[in-house]
Amino acid sequence: MRLMDALRRLPAPVTAARLAEETGVSRRQLYRDIATLRAGGALIDGEAGVGYRLTEDPALPPQSFSQLEIEALVLAVSDLSQTGDTALEAAGRSALARIIATLADGQSRQAMHTVLRSFRSPPARLEFSVDIALLRRACWEELALNVRYRDLKGQVTDRKIWPLGISYSDRTLMVLVWCCLRQDWRVFHASGIETACLSGDCFRPRRVALLREYVARNACAGLPAANE
């Protein structure tokens, strides 16, 4: 799986040395793995000393996009660097490589030579005490968190929250939550969350309903996001 991912992601042709480094195996083992993938139906062009190119991936169904759709996908993934979230950026590049691997040759070349670019100032390096991966997991799995939060006035309180969503900007990262203490929606600055841990409670299936209520309330009343 690591080898297939590297073949999809890295610019072709990829040398055996680079593939061995990416997958953490010896070069001899790499040659055996390539032979195994070829036996399983993957069309991999190239040879030792030249480099390798994945020309057909049996694990992914063929897809087709218009030229503008391809430009939009590449542009969107490149813009993930503006979030300051390196894990999210890496995930976007990996997903895009898998998509490109399913395209026909002509569309694959278009993806490698897109004309749309996004040039903006690099984002400020955001530093957080909280583990962003934990926040994402809590949102996905609808897991309640116990947090210690410092609000914009400097007051520190212990809260139990239901995390509903995460919003990125060029200056900060915000977390939309249902605050069990206030019994209301709140938007926390991630930088203000000093500690966070799973409470052991699950609020499934409340997340979607709460998000809909929040959007509807703010759309109808024209209210700004509840912030702390």
Side-chain angles (χ1 to χ4, degrees):
M1 290 178 63
R2 290 196 303 271
L3 178 54
M4 288 295 286
D5 181 67
L7 285 167
R8 295 178 187 125
R9 177 168 42 85
L10 298 174
V14 195
T15 64
R18 179 72 187 279
L19 289 171
E21 179 184 357
E22 287 283 330
T23 55
V25 301
S26 68
R27 200 174 302 186
R28 179 178 296 180
Q29 180 61 50
L30 176 78
Y31 296 142
R32 288 198 292 263
D33 290 343
I34 287 176
T36 299
L37 289 175
R38 283 171 167 167
L43 295 184
I44 302 174
D45 288 343
E47 58 185 273
V50 177
Y52 296 92
R53 180 192 304 272
L54 181 65
T55 59
E56 186 172 324
D57 187 346
L60 299 175
Q63 298 188 69
S64 180
F65 295 93
S66 71
Q67 189 164 6
L68 188 57
E69 287 171 337
I70 292 172
E71 293 273 358
L73 287 170
V74 175
L75 183 64
V77 171
S78 67
D79 218 34
L80 288 177
S81 62
Q82 297 297 317
T83 66
D85 189 330
T86 55
L88 184 64
E89 184 181 358
R93 289 197 305 267
S94 177
L96 181 62
R98 294 186 184 193
I99 292 172
I100 291 174
T102 70
L103 300 177
D105 286 346
Q107 293 180 334
S108 180
R109 286 192 295 272
Q110 290 172 4
M112 299 299 292
H113 303 288
T114 53
V115 300
L116 300 184
R117 295 289 186 273
S118 175
F119 292 103
R120 292 192 283 169
S121 299
R125 184 64 182 172
L126 304 178
E127 300 291 341
F128 307 109
S129 299
V130 65
D131 182 1
I132 304 303
L134 175 64
L135 291 180
R136 282 195 289 258
R137 179 192 168 197
C139 289
W140 291 334
E141 301 180 18
E142 297 175 70
L143 301 174
L145 294 174
N146 290 328
V147 303
R148 173 158 292 181
Y149 184 69
R150 182 182 298 274
D151 65 21
L152 298 178
K153 297 178 181 178
Q155 298 177 334
V156 178
T157 54
D158 292 324
R159 315 277 190 104
K160 182 177 181 179
I161 61 171
W162 295 353
L164 306 175
I166 299 172
S167 298
Y168 294 85
S169 78
D170 57 351
R171 293 184 302 275
T172 188
L173 186 149
M174 312 295 289
V175 186
L176 174 64
V177 308
W178 175 262
C179 178
C180 298
L181 175 66
R182 306 299 187 198
Q183 285 295 294
D184 198 1
W185 294 274
R186 288 291 186 270
V187 178
F188 286 175
H189 290 261
S191 58
I193 303 177
E194 298 183 345
T195 63
C197 63
L198 297 174
S199 71
D201 298 330
C202 178
F203 58 95
R204 183 174 290 134
R206 297 290 306 281
R207 176 175 173 268
V208 171
L210 284 169
L211 280 172
R212 286 175 177 168
E213 290 176 31
Y214 178 79
V215 171
R217 186 188 72 167
N218 284 282
C220 293
L223 298 175
N227 205 339
E228 287 199 6

